[in-house]
Amino acid sequence: MRVGKDSIVSLDYRLHLGDGQVIDQSAPGQPLAYLHGHRQIVPGLEGALEGMNKGESKQVVVQPGQGYGEHDPEGVRTVPRSMLPPGFTPQAGQTLMAQTDQGDISLRIREVRGDDIVIDLNHPLAGKTLHFDVTVQDVRAASSEELSHGHVHGPGGHDHG
Ligand code: ZN
């Protein structure tokens, strides 16, 4: 069968940002398994996989709007260093988890400027053009249980133990 709505896709993938330097990939023999048509992966990649067959490979270029979104300048803020836990030494490039009323968010430290730090609330891949090398390792129909749960069961998916 081909990749389509409600199929379970097992995918080998590599991601780079155009320079060939791989920033994320599936582990050998451990493809990513996801439920197609339910926005579990970025829309640009999901659309490109539609109709592919088991064993097929493809290179997919995803623009930011179809990936993790454009980089929002409003998400870059300068905050006093005293907001951080005492004893913590901030460094550019670090990612922190912060608790807010809206739940946990991750933020990156862009810069440390004396008593201030510049943080970025955007997704780390916001504004980036994504280059995927993908191979469809398997395609199967989702079971009714998987559909009602909205996720994959078995290898690469959920294990309810
Ligand atoms: Zn489940």
Side-chain angles (χ1 to χ4, degrees):
M1 65 183 287
R2 288 173 181 273
V3 174
K5 182 149 172 53
D6 298 341
S7 52
I8 302 285
V9 183
S10 296
L11 195 67
D12 276 336
Y13 73 94
R14 276 188 319 167
L15 170 61
H16 68 89
L17 300 178
D19 58 1
Q21 197 188 329
V22 175
I23 59 164
D24 190 22
Q25 62 186 323
S26 51
Q30 295 180 330
L32 168 79
Y34 76 95
L35 178 60
H36 190 85
H38 294 255
R39 292 204 155 234
Q40 297 186 342
I41 60 175
V42 295
L45 180 59
E46 186 163 60
L49 288 165
E50 185 89 26
M52 283 181 73
N53 266 315
K54 179 174 173 171
E56 254 186 280
S57 297
K58 206 179 209 179
Q59 290 187 318
V60 182
V61 178
V62 177
Q63 300 302 321
Q66 291 291 301
Y68 291 95
E70 302 292 346
H71 186 268
D72 178 5
E74 300 264 303
V76 179
R77 295 182 195 169
T78 302
V79 298
R81 192 170 168 156
S82 56
M83 277 181 59
L84 297 172
F88 178 84
T89 309
Q91 280 175 325
Q94 276 174 330
T95 302
L96 305 174
M97 293 302 292
Q99 280 148 15
T100 72
D101 329 341
Q102 277 99 46
D104 288 358
I105 54 163
S106 83
L107 53 89
R108 268 167 315 136
I109 298 176
R110 281 169 70 116
E111 208 184 321
V112 181
R113 281 187 199 149
D115 288 337
D116 288 335
I117 54 170
V118 182
I119 59 170
D120 191 343
L121 301 170
N122 285 280
H123 187 282
L125 293 174
K128 309 280 191 201
T129 298
L130 312 171
H131 297 248
F132 290 98
D133 296 322
V134 296
T135 301
V136 174
Q137 293 294 356
D138 198 24
V139 190
R140 64 174 171 85
S143 68
S144 54
E145 195 185 41
E146 285 171 319
L147 279 178
S148 72
H149 287 197
H151 57 227
V152 178
H153 291 165
H158 253 256
D159 179 4
H160 291 293

